[in-house]
Amino acid sequence: RGGCVLYYVDGMPWMSTEPGDINMFVNGDEVAGAEVYQSGNAPAQYSRGMQDCTTIVLWTKTRIRER
């Protein structure tokens, strides 16, 4: 397979411009939780069309505090 990965940060899609740039946007110390879904198993709100990718959903401490 293509080995693609889709990211969501606080419920919003993250659009990478180059591989790994998520690491410069989200500081590991700010991650409160993470969900990882194998290709084809992500909930509908974390799916993008016909893409069959691993999906990673990150929740930050800032977002958790807002709730």
Side-chain angles (χ1 to χ4, degrees), residues 2-61:
C4 60
V5 178
L6 299 176
Y7 289 96
Y8 287 79
V9 178
D10 293 334
M12 301 298 296
W14 168 260
M15 301 296 182
S16 294
T17 55
E18 59 185 67
D21 63 356
I22 187 84
N23 297 324
M24 291 187 279
F25 181 73
V26 178
N27 182 329
D29 291 337
E30 278 298 307
V31 175
E35 303 171 38
V36 180
Y37 299 98
Q38 294 179 357
S39 59
N41 292 321
Q45 70 264 33
Y46 303 127
S47 297
R48 294 188 205 160
M50 299 302 289
Q51 290 180 317
D52 192 21
C53 303
T54 298
T55 301
I56 299 175
V57 182
L58 301 174
W59 298 100
T60 64
K61 292 177 182 176

